Amino acid sequence: MSVNIFALLSIVSGVLILSLGVFVFDQNRKSPQHIIFLFLCGFASWWAFAESMMLGAESFATAGFWMKATALWTFVPPLALNFIVVFTRPDSWKNERWIYPILYAPALIFCWIELTSSLITTAPIQAFGGYVFGYSRQSLLPLVEISWGVIIAILAMLLCVQFYFTTTDHRKKQQAKYIIAGIGITAAFGILTQQMLPGLQFPIPDLTSASFLCFTGCVGYAIWKYRLFILNPATVADNILSTMTDGVVILDPEGNIVATNQALSTMVGTVKEQCVGRPVSDLFYHESDKATIVAMILAQGSLSDYETTFRSEEGRAIPVSFSGSVIRDTDGSVAGFVGVSRDITERKRAEEALGQARKKLNVLNAITFSDIQTTIFSLTGYLELEKSMPAGERQQRFIDREIELVQVIADSLKYAELFQSLGLKSPVWQNVGQSFLLGISHLDISHLSRRLDVEHVEVYADPMLEHVFLALADNIREHAPTATEYSFTYTENLQGLVLVFKDNGPGIPASLKEKIFEREYCRRNEIGLYLSREILSITGISIRETGEEGKGARFEILVPPGAWRKTRQP
């Protein structure tokens, strides 16, 4: 086989563009942009190789075979458009897969027609520079096919031109410029050498595939000078995003999301793919937080543990600790931002609960110390009176009263000992059934029949939760001696979870339904319902009595949303 200069140009062009495609793919083998570019270079390389073999063919039959082999060229224009779309609008087509058949179906149809019929290409023609394509003069399909390819190339260039004028990223602007040049030169060579010059009887073969050298040169320069494919915020994170438990978001310089990980999607309650392409301000509960954080990162270069609030898809506020930094190109320009967010809902909830517990503890301490002070004042008065009285029966009554006051002080101190653990530890998730059984283990109520249906529910409450259940069960022993059974169940409503504890005793009169939760009503040396209400309220849980007198007591414990969850049943 003799090789002429045009065949040599085509084969060199094919080798170089394939090498470029392999190099780009090797930078990130998971990136859709890199994969599409590899396919584009692969099909273009085959086109150039087949055309070089046709140009240098020594026989008509060999040239005809390689002319048919070039039919795969029809996939190059749609792949070029696909690449441009992914470059200018990352991940924009992930949720519009119906476009792919429209894009690639014509390529498949034209390719099949070229391979199986003579409606487009007929037989190769011996001309200057070697064998060239022979097109059917009996059909409009050659014109339709070429027009389709030109339109696709023009559309790809227009999208790239639009991106060039709209992006504010200098690096991407320069990348787009050289991609436009590469596609434009290739398309121009194709139109000139395939249609215009042959029509003017100018002796030159089709140099479309040879012009891939220009495309390779332009894209290669963009890679070397402007880090095309090399430094891409999305590619930086691909290998680490999936392994991180904290939410990660990668932004372009305009503040649009180009990549996230599953942890972030789970945090905000959305599908990972739906985050990409959206402005990062959509993540924040207060849109102004985005501007504040970006400004701080730009000013400082990085940001650590900045507390802000994300918004879930349902509109729920999610407190997060946000850290971020700038991604810079080799020339120092801003290529994007990376942010790491940690859900601190549990921490904030614990902090609020501990704050509530400390406030309640301070109040209880103040009340107890006030009671003790008052009692000591009374005791001191009785002692002074006793000193001025002669011994006798009246003096004995004073002594008896003094003993009672000393007992009041002792009861107050014992009561203070009971609630001193309030808020000492952070609230935790507790299984209601297990906590209840631990609480009643201190009482002898085994003679009562019971029904429990709370084993698969957990609540977020102070570790003293079991003492609440102890107080409820002790209420039966103390005030419902005729009761023979009790139950502990739950229901769900719009307000949250309702734990229902009831017995079949005499019930509680309407006049006492609130008084039983007052401090004065409880015995000083026991937890009582007063302290039970205080323990529950630390994490926003409330309790009330809703039973009917004569039909038994009924206590309803309302657990708000977010403070309860169901465990997996066996």
Side-chain angles (χ1 to χ4, degrees):
M1 180 185 71
S2 61
V3 178
N4 60 37
I5 186 63
F6 299 112
L8 181 61
L9 282 173
S10 290
I11 199 166
V12 170
S13 177
V15 171
L16 290 179
I17 197 170
L18 180 61
S19 301
L20 180 66
V22 171
F23 170 77
V24 168
F25 176 70
D26 192 55
Q27 302 305 307
N28 188 344
R29 300 187 178 191
K30 295 182 180 180
S31 167
Q33 185 178 359
H34 292 62
I35 293 171
I36 292 171
F37 189 79
L38 175 64
F39 274 101
L40 170 61
C41 293
F43 276 92
S45 176
W46 174 257
W47 180 4
F49 174 74
E51 193 164 291
S52 73
M53 297 300 287
M54 182 182 69
L55 285 168
E58 295 180 345
S59 67
F60 178 84
T62 303
F65 171 81
W66 287 110
M67 186 185 71
K68 289 294 184 182
T70 60
L72 292 176
W73 81 270
T74 57
F75 288 95
V76 173
L79 281 167
L81 177 58
N82 199 165
F83 163 68
I84 292 301
V85 170
V86 175
F87 170 72
T88 58
R89 305 173 186 178
D91 300 304
S92 62
W93 281 14
K94 282 188 176 181
N95 298 320
E96 300 177 8
R97 300 185 184 277
W98 57 271
I99 294 179
Y100 287 100
I102 296 176
L103 184 60
Y104 289 101
L108 184 61
I109 294 171
F110 287 132
C111 180
W112 179 256
I113 293 174
E114 284 198 30
L115 288 171
T116 60
S117 72
S118 299
L119 295 175
I120 297 178
T121 55
T122 54
I125 300 172
Q126 179 73 47
F128 175 78
Y131 285 97
V132 295
F133 293 95
Y135 292 100
S136 172
R137 298 180 180 277
Q138 308 300 319
S139 169
L140 292 176
L141 281 178
L143 180 60
V144 172
E145 181 188 51
I146 293 172
S147 299
W148 167 79
V150 171
I151 291 171
I152 292 291
I154 293 174
L155 182 58
M157 289 182 61
L158 289 176
L159 286 176
C160 212
V161 169
Q162 181 190 37
F163 179 75
Y164 175 84
F165 285 108
T166 56
T167 184
T168 58
D169 184 349
H170 173 72
R171 179 177 58 88
K172 284 188 173 293
K173 189 182 289 288
Q174 295 303 313
Q175 292 173 0
K177 181 173 71 174
Y178 285 98
I179 292 174
I180 293 169
I183 295 177
I185 293 173
T186 301
F189 263 86
I191 295 172
L192 282 172
T193 61
Q194 192 180 61
Q195 298 296 319
M196 295 181 65
L197 294 179
L200 297 174
Q201 304 302 312
F202 192 86
I204 188 169
D206 182 359
L207 296 180
T208 306
S209 62
S211 67
F212 293 159
L213 283 170
C214 299
F215 177 83
T216 303
C218 290
V219 173
Y221 183 79
I223 292 174
W224 172 72
K225 181 67 174 179
Y226 299 105
R227 315 303 288 170
L228 175 63
F229 296 115
I230 305 301
L231 183 61
N232 185 316
T235 64
V236 172
D238 277 347
N239 295 327
I240 60 173
L241 290 182
S242 60
T243 62
M244 297 190 65
T245 56
D246 291 337
V248 180
V249 59
I250 309 296
L251 311 177
D252 63 19
E254 288 77 29
N256 297 313
I257 300 173
V258 297
T260 64
N261 66 345
Q262 187 57 47
L264 181 74
S265 303
T266 302
M267 185 188 303
V268 298
T270 187
V271 179
K272 179 182 174 182
E273 288 72 18
Q274 292 180 350
C275 290
V276 176
R278 296 167 58 181
V280 71
S281 56
D282 288 356
L283 292 178
F284 291 96
Y285 199 81
H286 303 290
E287 189 172 341
S288 58
D289 285 358
K290 175 251 183 180
T292 301
I293 289 175
V294 170
M296 294 174 69
I297 292 176
L298 287 174
Q300 305 171 15
S302 63
L303 183 67
S304 298
D305 296 326
Y306 181 85
E307 292 192 7
T308 183
T309 307
F310 279 1
R311 181 194 299 272
S312 72
E313 284 295 296
E314 298 79 22
R316 178 174 56 88
I318 306 169
V320 297
S321 175
F322 190 88
S323 301
S325 63
V326 177
I327 301 175
R328 294 192 181 276
D329 203 342
T330 54
D331 61 0
S333 61
V334 176
F337 304 90
V338 59
V340 180
S341 53
R342 174 169 296 177
D343 188 339
I344 56 173
T345 301
E346 294 294 330
R347 193 187 83 189
K348 299 295 289 186
R349 183 184 291 165
E351 290 174 355
E352 292 174 3
L354 286 173
Q356 287 289 329
R358 291 190 183 98
K359 290 179 182 178
K360 295 179 183 298
L361 190 58
N362 289 336
V363 171
L364 289 170
N365 280 330
I367 293 174
T368 301
F369 292 146
S370 176
D371 288 349
I372 292 175
Q373 266 188 330
T374 301
T375 306
I376 290 176
F377 180 79
S378 299
L379 178 60
T380 302
Y382 277 107
L383 289 173
E384 290 295 330
L385 290 173
E386 181 187 353
K387 286 194 301 183
S388 61
M389 287 186 177
E393 181 179 346
R394 189 175 180 185
Q395 188 183 43
Q396 184 59 47
R397 289 200 304 271
F398 273 46
I399 294 174
D400 291 342
R401 180 55 181 158
E402 291 162 3
I403 294 173
E404 290 177 5
L405 292 173
V406 170
Q407 186 60 48
V408 169
I409 294 173
D411 288 346
S412 294
L413 292 174
K414 190 173 183 180
Y415 183 75
E417 183 181 5
L418 289 172
F419 66 71
Q420 69 179 351
S421 298
L422 186 66
L424 188 62
K425 297 180 180 179
S426 298
V428 292
W429 287 99
Q430 301 171 68
N431 182 278
V432 176
Q434 294 177 3
S435 295
F436 179 80
L437 293 176
L438 285 173
I440 66 172
S441 64
H442 302 285
L443 297 175
D444 181 15
I445 54 174
S446 57
H447 62 286
L448 300 176
S449 62
R450 71 185 184 196
R451 181 170 71 90
L452 298 181
D453 185 24
V454 290
E455 294 87 352
H456 305 297
V457 176
E458 292 183 347
V459 297
Y460 187 75
D462 189 272
M464 293 183 69
L465 177 65
E466 64 181 73
H467 294 287
V468 174
F469 300 141
L470 167 63
L472 293 177
D474 192 48
N475 185 72
I476 300 177
R477 183 185 62 83
E478 185 69 25
H479 301 290
T482 60
T484 59
E485 63 181 27
Y486 66 91
S487 64
F488 196 20
T489 59
Y490 73 90
T491 60
E492 300 175 41
N493 58 32
L494 295 177
Q495 285 73 43
L497 180 79
V498 181
L499 299 171
V500 180
F501 181 86
K502 61 181 181 179
D503 60 55
N504 64 344
I508 298 174
S511 59
L512 295 179
K513 288 185 181 295
E514 276 302 314
K515 287 185 178 181
I516 57 176
F517 294 105
E518 295 176 0
R519 182 172 178 274
E520 292 75 13
Y521 189 84
C522 301
R523 290 176 295 171
R524 292 181 180 275
N525 61 345
E526 294 182 359
I527 288 288
L529 295 176
Y530 167 72
L531 192 54
S532 296
R533 174 175 275 184
E534 296 297 307
I535 293 171
L536 293 173
S537 65
I538 289 175
T539 52
I541 303 173
S542 60
I543 183 173
R544 61 176 182 168
E545 206 286 323
T546 60
E548 296 182 29
E549 186 176 1
K551 295 184 179 180
R554 175 188 172 94
F555 292 92
E556 292 185 357
I557 300 174
L558 177 61
V559 187
W564 69 276
R565 65 190 183 192
K566 288 185 178 180
T567 59
R568 183 176 298 176
Q569 300 187 18

